[in-house]
Amino acid sequence: AQRVTQPEKLLSVFKGAPVELKCNYSYSGSPELFWYVQYSRQRLQLLLRHISRESIKGFTADLNKGETSFHLKKPFAQEEDSAMYYCALSPSYGKLTFGQGTILTVHP
Amino acid sequence: SAVISQKPSRDICQRGTSLTIQCQVDSQVTMMFWYRQQPGQSLTLIATANQGSEATYESGFVIDKFPISRPNLTFSTLTVSNLSPEDSSIYLCSVEKLGVTYGYTFGSGTRLTVV
């Protein structure tokens, strides 16, 4: 069975500092990986998917198959980045398995 | 990306009753899903809503408790039956559109409180 682990429930950084939200997964095949973000009082929205290899709002995430990780990084955090972040895995079409989520707080 | 309208946004229900949640999409989508987010927990997939056939349920979820309809490619309903306080959760609809690279889109959720 697939599993997604986000080891940090809470993460606090200061504005301008680098931030890394960790995500590890377990799955025997080649999964599709995502990062979702939920800002206060807003719906869950897609931030990144590894297949796109793009940078959104300054965030990037690299799939490391050797370490089975998909950490989310941003070199300079902004206050508006404060939100709940979920890492998710799709082993087959459509079925997302979510991690427990990390609440990121960026202090001024 | 697809725009999802999910109703109601919240409700307070008596135990033993049922609540039906609607998910309307502004365009035809291939896949529609229902998730549950219990208090303080992550999202868990309940079932995949299949157009024209019975939904596909995940382990731990059964049709009698969570009947699902999907009469066409833009609409689905989830009913939570015989409510108990343990059913108090946020229920979310999600869709995926084949051939589009934006990934899965989520509705705003329905916050259910059972009293």
Side-chain angles (χ1 to χ4, degrees):
Chain A
Q2 61 274 6
R3 174 174 285 192
V4 178
T5 303
Q6 292 178 250
E8 303 140 328
K9 192 162 187 174
L10 302 169
L11 183 62
S12 290
V13 300
F14 285 99
K15 178 182 173 181
V19 62
E20 181 180 54
L21 291 86
K22 292 184 168 51
C23 172
N24 290 90
Y25 67 91
S26 63
Y27 181 65
S28 57
S30 295
E32 194 169 340
L33 284 148
F34 307 83
W35 276 99
Y36 280 85
V37 60
Q38 188 166 27
Y39 301 102
S40 179
R41 301 183 186 282
Q42 294 186 28
R43 66 181 65 191
L44 195 65
Q45 55 186 285
L46 178 67
L47 181 62
L48 285 177
R49 58 191 296 175
H50 89 272
I51 198 169
S52 301
R53 301 186 65 81
E54 57 192 341
S55 173
I56 304 294
K57 300 185 179 184
F59 285 97
T60 59
D62 291 319
L63 177 60
N64 186 322
K65 291 186 178 181
E67 296 182 358
T68 59
S69 68
F70 188 57
H71 303 328
L72 184 68
K73 301 177 184 179
K74 186 170 182 177
F76 307 103
Q78 303 300 313
E79 290 179 68
E80 54 266 30
D81 296 328
S82 296
M84 171 72 91
Y85 291 81
Y86 290 100
C87 182
L89 174 156
S90 177
S92 62
Y93 190 74
K95 298 175 70 168
L96 284 173
T97 298
F98 284 85
Q100 289 297 107
T102 298
I103 299 173
L104 173 65
T105 303
V106 181
H107 299 285
Chain B
S1 63
V3 176
I4 300 174
S5 173
Q6 189 174 334
K7 295 178 182 178
S9 59
R10 60 178 62 228
D11 206 342
I12 300 173
C13 299
Q14 298 288 327
R15 66 177 69 198
T17 63
S18 299
L19 176 70
T20 295
I21 303 167
Q22 298 182 359
C23 178
Q24 177 73 56
V25 192
D26 68 342
S27 58
Q28 292 186 345
V29 293
T30 311
M31 312 284 283
M32 296 183 79
F33 310 92
W34 288 98
Y35 287 82
R36 180 177 72 181
Q37 186 174 24
Q38 294 177 298
Q41 303 293 315
S42 186
L43 287 82
T44 301
L45 180 64
I46 298 171
T48 302
N50 301 310
Q51 194 261 333
S53 64
E54 198 170 280
T56 304
Y57 290 84
E58 296 300 303
S59 175
F61 297 96
V62 295
I63 188 171
D64 290 347
K65 178 67 175 178
F66 299 99
I68 288 171
S69 77
R70 189 176 173 192
N72 55 52
L73 292 176
T74 64
F75 185 78
S76 177
T77 66
L78 167 72
T79 299
V80 189
S81 304
N82 190 24
L83 290 168
S84 67
E86 292 71 37
D87 295 320
S88 297
S89 297
I90 298 173
Y91 294 86
L92 297 107
C93 168
S94 174
V95 305
E96 165 72 320
K97 200 166 182 177
L98 265 183
V100 181
T101 59
Y102 55 73
Y104 307 90
T105 304
F106 283 81
S108 55
T110 297
R111 183 180 294 273
L112 169 61
T113 302
V114 182
V115 297

